[in-house]
Amino acid sequence: MSNLAPQPIYRKDYKPSNYLIHTTDLSFDLRDDETLVSSKIHFYKNPKYQAGDNSLFLDGIDLELISLVIDGERVDYELSDKGMQLRHLKDEFVLEIVNRIHPELNTSLNGLYQSSGNFCTQCEAHGFRQITYYLDRPDVLSVFTTHITADKRKYPVLLSNGNLLTASSGQATWHDPTSKPCYLFALVAGDFAVLEDNYTTLSGREVALKIYVEAHNISKTQFAMDSLKRSFAWDESRFNLEYDLDIYMIVAVDDFNMGAMENKGLNIFNSTYVLAEPKTATDKDFINVEAVIGHEYFHNWTGNRVTCKDWFQLSLKEGLTVFRDQEFTSDLHSRSIKRIEDVNALRTFQFAEDAGPMQHPVRPESYIEMNNFYTLTIYEKGAEVIRMIHSFLGETGFQKGMKLYFERHDGDAVTIDDFVSSMSDANEFDFSQFMTWYSQPGTPTVSIKTNYDEISQRFHVEVEQNKGHDYFLPLNYALLDDQGHALKEGMLTIKQHKESFVFEQIKSKPTPSWLRGFCAPIHLLTDLTFEQKIFLVGHDSDAYVVWDSAQQIWLSLILTPNKAHEQLFFNALEKLIQTTPDKSLVSEVLTLPSERFLHQQVAMIDVFDINQKREQMAHKVLRRFEALLLETYNSLNNNQAYQLTSSAVGGRSLKNTCLYYLSKDKDSGLALTQFEQANCMTDQIAAFNALITNNSAHKDQAIASFYQTFKQDVQVMDKFFAAQSSSITSDIGCIKSLMQHELFSFNTPNRLRSVVGGFTQNYINFHHQAGYEFFTDIILKLNQSNPQIGARLVSVYNHWKRFTPELKQLQKQQLERIMQSDDLSNDIFEIVQAALK
Ligand code: B3K
Ligand code: ZN
């Protein structure tokens, strides 16, 4: 590493730009071996910021400047590896630049690059500066006109934001009438097929809807189109928000660092979140496609029309938009299952992030590489914070707040405070104490102690927060009688470090149900007994509490086996399987906590011990329930025509949970039969996983047949690779041969994530010296080709200090090895230095 360590950027250093931009005219000449970018930018002095001299720094990275004039005249400038300094400028002027870039060589997948031979862009957060010199910051908005020239045979489709002004062969000009920051700029040029439809908004605007994909994928786009129309309709009915342009385009590309990007009027998607048909996509894939299509669409208001003043406010758009997409999925599918899945992901991944070296507040104070802050904390914890605001205000109050937010800020770049003030002012609700949720990192712990006094018929509750904390939070509860009926239910408002509540006229000792719906992102410690938790599993009407109580029981039985408790719990499970109509819920309850989650619950991570203990529990479930699991499996294995209804999804989910257990001990033949006869990917991949993970005699046959059937399908092949690389039956030799496979591609993030990301989840084979060394070599290669993906992957070492001494030492050595390497990218440097601290 060089001596000059990268320096953080601080939120406190924010200054408005001294210049703003009226219009940005861009012209792209796309060629095989270079692209010429010409820009004509009309600058004017920021009327709100007249201080300072008339100089301007324009961001620019990896650009070759060809020419520059201001108002038609040559001027002096200084170039550095970060951009261009201009001085002695007029208050208003037009800058014209021509520069050269090389999208054909761009493997970072930021800025302008190629995917499957087509051109596309990714500009958030700082990609535009890899296209041309510009004020690459979200609070400088302008009107863009984009002219594209390209070889018409190779690139018949030429797209950019807004409306098409003119098009002739090999040329197109687009004009976006809405002012936007450059991170929302997009350009696409390529050979695509298109699925077209239209939507009429509430106020009667006719919007043309277009989904562009590579021609061979066109048959897999109908679900995405239907999801898009559902997104338009849902945002109108639930949020009273309409779309504002005459065209909405989605382009799917195979090479993409993230899920998708909400560029104004021209979303660019990782093809995984567009393409779906039952034969190749699982139920979860379908629901994810719909959620991501919704998420990007919802950004049009929460993100695009009202954007962020600086990148520290990222959760302003992301937390809010995740909350909106969660509600979208909940309104369209099973609300309770969506909540359980989201909470499970939050507690498994975000809680770990919040307890690790990269912990940061929902509004961070500094960053080295902004791309490292597209985190679970910004997105998922950010959404939980919005959910708490929603809990305090209720749906009507929340919508009043949203209305005021748009009245005040439509067209602006604003802060999280502006959002919360709108919520506060519209409802006369004081959120000042609530702001700790945005400023304080870490997951709060809340303890509850109760006492029932039979004589006075009072139920006393004491709620205490950790270490002097006084988070402001909602606490949903119910007090249940011995039939599970709620004697009292509601929301307690917690504001102080320690609070007491008394419930009067409680005729017998109740079982409390706490944190219903997981109404706050906290660790909750209660004084519930084992028996009470079992009671909640069998009786609570709140699905989250049912699931969470079962999770707590699984956890204790896996980590500290107890025969008597196990019997009690298994009896309750038996009843649950036999009587609960919601198959998805039964499936969730029957699913053991993941290894990843278990790792968080122990003082020191012994990967092998945890793997073994969890496997032992799976075998105990099988021994106790074999007959019932088989009966349930058979009753659900009906091969009905594929439907995505909650009941059909629940049926498949429970069936495949049964299959998981039934395939544990022996080759029952069930998995092979299901694999051969499956009519949808949900069943196919579940059977494939069962065959691979349990070293079935049919494993090789399954691999060969799966490959033959699906080798043309990129999304299915990602599953094929991930299933193998994450299986404990695949050692490092297998991973190396997967990387030699003809379909492996190092520069395609989805494929790399499926093989290398999968390997890091292969707890038996990843965690030893050779596994770590092999992985670190990959990180060092990514440091050159795609540091953003490298930084994501290297985070697996973040928890090294919590492992058993030998593994801890080995991981530390790898982190040091990375730190010592030359030319470390900011992305990887930031993660590794935080881990080593
Ligand atoms: N806003 C984009 C993410 C951009 C990622 C930058 N590294 C997708 C989304 O959240 O909708
Ligand atoms: Zn988003």
Side-chain angles (χ1 to χ4, degrees):
M1 216 200 75
S2 76
N3 295 334
L4 292 172
Q7 293 305 304
I9 294 167
Y10 294 95
R11 182 167 80 91
K12 64 177 169 48
D13 293 341
Y14 172 84
K15 281 199 192 77
S17 176
N18 54 347
Y19 279 90
L20 299 177
I21 301 176
H22 275 303
T23 53
T24 304
D25 294 345
L26 298 170
S27 198
F28 289 83
D29 185 358
L30 305 170
R31 304 180 190 173
D32 286 343
D33 54 353
E34 63 175 18
T35 287
L36 298 180
V37 185
S38 311
S39 69
K40 187 172 175 185
I41 311 169
H42 185 162
F43 285 95
Y44 65 101
K45 199 81 190 279
N46 183 350
K48 287 196 201 136
Y49 186 69
Q50 293 293 347
D53 62 6
N54 280 16
S55 65
L56 181 60
F57 184 80
L58 297 179
D59 305 290
I61 296 210
D62 293 338
L63 307 173
E64 187 188 333
L65 182 66
I66 297 174
S67 68
L68 177 152
V69 290
I70 289 183
D71 294 333
E73 308 272 330
R74 287 166 181 262
V75 294
D76 290 335
Y77 54 84
E78 288 159 40
L79 291 183
S80 70
D81 59 353
K82 290 198 169 60
M84 169 192 291
Q85 182 71 54
L86 297 166
R87 298 185 203 280
H88 314 300
L89 297 161
K90 289 191 270 179
D91 283 357
E92 191 167 345
F93 62 92
V94 174
L95 170 70
E96 288 176 81
I97 286 178
V98 180
N99 65 273
R100 181 180 287 117
I101 51 175
H102 288 282
E104 74 284 0
L105 304 176
N106 180 354
T107 55
S108 74
L109 313 190
N110 267 321
L112 181 64
Y113 66 94
Q114 287 193 314
S115 172
S116 314
N118 297 321
F119 287 91
C120 64
T121 50
Q122 172 55 38
C123 294
E124 186 178 358
H126 291 141
F128 198 81
R129 62 188 63 182
Q130 288 177 236
I131 294 176
T132 191
Y133 295 96
Y134 204 75
L135 282 171
D136 189 0
R137 46 187 292 168
D139 60 344
V140 172
L141 287 72
S142 85
V143 170
F144 281 68
T145 305
T146 306
H147 181 73
I148 312 168
T149 309
D151 178 344
K152 64 171 192 263
R153 284 158 308 165
K154 283 190 184 161
Y155 312 106
V157 175
L158 304 175
L159 309 174
S160 190
N161 319 81
N163 303 313
L164 184 62
L165 288 189
T166 59
S168 60
S169 75
Q171 299 208 27
T173 304
W174 291 81
H175 176 75
D176 184 358
T178 39
S179 259
K180 65 169 178 291
C182 64
Y183 84 86
L184 291 172
F185 168 80
L187 175 150
V188 170
D191 189 2
F192 296 101
V194 58
L195 177 71
E196 300 194 54
D197 207 330
N198 54 70
Y199 183 87
T200 311
T201 65
L202 264 186
S203 61
R205 180 192 286 272
E206 278 289 316
V207 185
L209 309 177
K210 302 186 187 221
I211 300 184
Y212 293 90
V213 296
E214 288 178 54
H216 63 272
N217 286 325
I218 194 73
S219 63
K220 294 202 234 161
T221 50
Q222 189 58 49
F223 182 78
M225 182 61 88
D226 294 340
S227 301
L228 182 60
K229 291 200 275 184
R230 286 193 284 275
S231 308
F232 272 70
W234 182 85
D235 219 10
E236 289 177 350
S237 66
R238 176 95 186 253
F239 278 78
N240 199 24
L241 296 173
E242 282 186 35
Y243 187 61
D244 53 2
L245 292 175
D246 299 331
I247 181 167
Y248 193 97
M249 297 175 281
I250 289 176
V251 180
V253 299
D254 284 346
D255 305 273
F256 207 72
N257 283 343
M258 307 270 291
M261 179 63 211
E262 69 265 24
N263 315 302
K264 183 81 190 186
L266 176 54
N267 292 180
I268 299 181
F269 269 63
N270 185 326
S271 51
T272 297
Y273 296 106
V274 173
L275 306 174
E277 60 177 2
K279 275 214 161 336
T280 58
T282 63
D283 298 345
K284 277 207 165 63
D285 293 332
F286 273 102
I287 294 184
N288 284 341
V289 165
E290 185 182 69
V292 179
I293 297 253
H295 180 98
E296 306 312 329
Y297 175 74
F298 305 143
H299 265 315
N300 190 53
W301 277 93
T302 49
N304 299 4
R305 287 185 66 138
V306 184
T307 192
C308 301
K309 190 185 83 169
D310 59 37
W311 287 121
F312 300 102
Q313 317 297 328
L314 180 60
S315 197
L316 170 78
K317 74 179 178 79
E318 296 304 347
L320 179 55
T321 306
V322 171
F323 171 76
R324 275 152 54 69
D325 85 53
Q326 290 177 346
E327 284 299 294
F328 174 55
T329 303
S330 305
D331 284 346
L332 265 54
H333 302 277
S334 164
R335 176 168 287 273
S336 53
I337 296 303
K338 171 68 178 155
R339 191 66 192 136
I340 289 170
E341 287 170 354
D342 286 343
V343 172
N344 196 12
L346 184 88
R347 295 203 304 205
T348 307
F349 303 108
Q350 195 280 325
F351 279 20
E353 178 174 279
D354 230 353
M358 276 299 286
Q359 83 163 183
H360 56 274
V362 172
R363 175 158 62 189
E365 294 300 332
S366 71
Y367 63 79
I368 290 177
E369 170 50 60
M370 187 54 212
N371 281 328
N372 284 335
F373 284 80
Y374 287 75
T375 59
L376 293 151
T377 300
I378 304 289
Y379 277 65
E380 312 301 327
K381 185 175 180 182
E384 293 301 320
V385 173
I386 301 287
R387 187 169 293 281
M388 288 189 283
I389 295 178
H390 186 275
S391 292
F392 283 126
L393 302 179
E395 173 70 4
T396 311
F398 188 81
Q399 293 300 349
K400 263 167 76 182
M402 290 299 292
K403 189 161 176 275
L404 184 61
Y405 175 60
F406 293 124
E407 277 166 16
R408 285 181 177 174
H409 302 297
D410 190 10
D412 289 348
V414 304
T415 64
I416 284 171
D417 305 286
D418 293 321
F419 175 80
V420 180
S421 297
S422 299
M423 286 290 156
S424 185
D425 295 348
N427 293 280
E428 293 181 20
F429 191 100
D430 183 2
F431 277 108
S432 40
Q433 193 191 333
F434 185 80
M435 296 311 284
T436 331
W437 284 107
Y438 286 106
S439 58
Q440 183 76 40
T443 309
T445 299
V446 176
S447 313
I448 300 186
K449 289 206 177 68
T450 60
N451 180 39
Y452 177 65
D453 182 356
E454 215 164 336
I455 315 257
S456 63
Q457 299 198 330
R458 285 193 179 120
F459 189 61
H460 297 263
V461 176
E462 257 199 17
V463 182
E464 186 171 356
Q465 305 193 30
N466 228 11
K467 287 187 256 139
H469 281 162
D470 56 355
Y471 279 93
F472 180 18
L473 59 100
L475 183 64
N476 292 344
Y477 72 94
L479 304 182
L480 306 183
D481 69 12
D482 57 7
Q483 298 300 306
H485 299 131
L487 298 165
K488 299 244 185 243
E489 59 188 318
M491 184 179 96
L492 302 176
T493 298
I494 309 297
K495 275 193 133 171
Q496 290 161 29
H497 173 60
K498 199 167 180 174
E499 305 216 26
S500 304
F501 302 89
V502 182
F503 296 92
E504 308 274 355
Q505 292 182 321
I506 306 294
K507 300 213 169 358
S508 61
K509 188 178 177 185
T511 302
S513 159
W514 297 120
L515 202 68
R516 299 185 116 202
F518 195 72
C519 51
I522 58 173
H523 289 294
L524 183 69
L525 306 175
T526 68
D527 56 3
L528 288 166
T529 63
F530 187 83
E531 288 73 11
Q532 284 180 310
K533 288 178 188 168
I534 288 198
F535 177 82
L536 289 170
V537 172
H539 293 87
D540 202 334
S541 60
D542 186 280
Y544 158 74
V545 176
V546 169
W547 169 79
D548 175 57
S549 306
Q551 286 280 299
Q552 290 182 40
I553 295 172
W554 283 125
L555 206 67
S556 73
L557 294 179
I558 291 170
L559 297 176
T560 45
N562 175 321
K563 200 92 202 128
H565 279 175
E566 191 181 293
Q567 286 314 318
L568 280 176
F569 182 49
F570 281 4
N571 293 343
L573 277 186
E574 181 163 8
K575 203 164 152 212
L576 186 98
I577 300 171
Q578 285 165 336
T579 60
T580 306
D582 184 344
K583 305 286 179 240
S584 283
L585 181 59
V586 178
S587 175
E588 295 290 350
V589 169
L590 273 182
T591 302
L592 302 179
S594 66
E595 281 172 70
R596 205 51 194 269
F597 185 71
L598 289 165
H599 291 172
Q600 277 184 64
Q601 315 304 319
V602 292
M604 184 176 70
I605 304 172
D606 182 336
V607 275
F608 308 105
D609 181 56
I610 287 195
N611 180 270
Q612 204 177 23
K613 285 183 166 149
R614 189 171 178 278
E615 282 300 302
Q616 280 164 357
M617 181 51 71
H619 283 98
K620 284 184 191 168
V621 174
L622 176 62
R623 280 200 292 279
R624 163 71 193 257
F625 289 117
E626 184 162 6
L628 182 57
L629 289 170
L630 188 58
E631 187 192 323
T632 309
Y633 177 88
N634 285 330
S635 74
L636 295 167
N637 194 24
N638 46 28
N639 250 357
Q640 277 172 359
Y642 184 83
Q643 281 188 306
L644 197 65
T645 57
S646 294
S647 116
V649 170
R652 281 189 290 274
S653 169
L654 180 55
K655 175 176 82 173
N656 288 316
T657 301
C658 293
L659 181 69
Y660 161 83
Y661 285 113
L662 291 165
S663 311
K664 274 287 155 204
D665 246 358
K666 53 181 182 201
D667 253 333
S668 60
L670 282 185
L672 185 63
T673 311
Q674 176 168 322
F675 178 73
E676 285 170 344
Q677 296 178 356
N679 69 350
C680 64
M681 185 47 66
T682 304
D683 288 349
Q684 186 107 53
I685 196 74
F688 185 65
N689 276 325
L691 291 168
I692 298 198
T693 316
N694 300 301
N695 246 338
S696 151
H698 308 289
K699 177 179 161 185
D700 293 341
Q701 174 194 342
I703 291 175
S705 127
F706 198 70
Y707 179 65
Q708 271 314 315
T709 315
F710 294 110
K711 64 182 175 203
Q712 311 290 358
D713 191 292
V714 169
Q715 276 68 44
V716 181
M717 281 297 104
D718 284 333
K719 298 182 202 304
F720 170 81
F721 281 105
Q724 294 178 68
S725 65
S726 60
S727 163
I728 58 169
T729 58
S730 304
D731 61 15
I732 190 168
C734 299
I735 311 302
K736 286 183 178 165
S737 39
L738 288 176
M739 289 184 71
Q740 300 299 322
H741 195 285
E742 56 177 342
L743 292 185
F744 180 75
S745 155
F746 192 86
N747 288 335
T748 302
N750 289 355
R751 194 51 49 88
L752 195 75
R753 276 187 280 256
S754 65
V755 177
V756 180
F759 179 48
T760 64
Q761 308 303 310
N762 180 343
Y763 296 109
I764 300 301
N765 295 295
F766 173 62
H767 287 284
H768 56 83
Q769 184 159 1
Y772 293 160
E773 280 174 359
F774 170 66
F775 175 73
T776 300
D777 291 343
I778 293 169
I779 296 298
L780 293 175
K781 204 170 149 193
L782 282 167
N783 183 53
Q784 304 296 331
S785 62
N786 188 335
Q788 197 178 325
I789 297 293
R792 294 265 154 181
L793 286 172
V794 79
S795 308
V796 74
Y797 289 141
N798 276 358
H799 302 284
W800 64 277
K801 288 180 186 158
R802 301 195 52 245
F803 282 77
T804 43
E806 191 195 345
L807 294 185
K808 176 173 164 178
Q809 191 54 28
L810 288 172
Q811 291 187 45
K812 184 173 183 224
Q813 280 167 9
Q814 296 304 316
L815 286 165
E816 285 166 348
R817 188 181 144 210
I818 297 169
M819 207 57 178
Q820 280 153 15
S821 71
D822 288 334
D823 290 335
L824 206 53
S825 60
N826 284 0
D827 311 59
I828 294 178
F829 170 83
E830 183 168 37
I831 305 289
V832 173
Q833 72 136 22
L836 280 171
K837 231 178 216 168

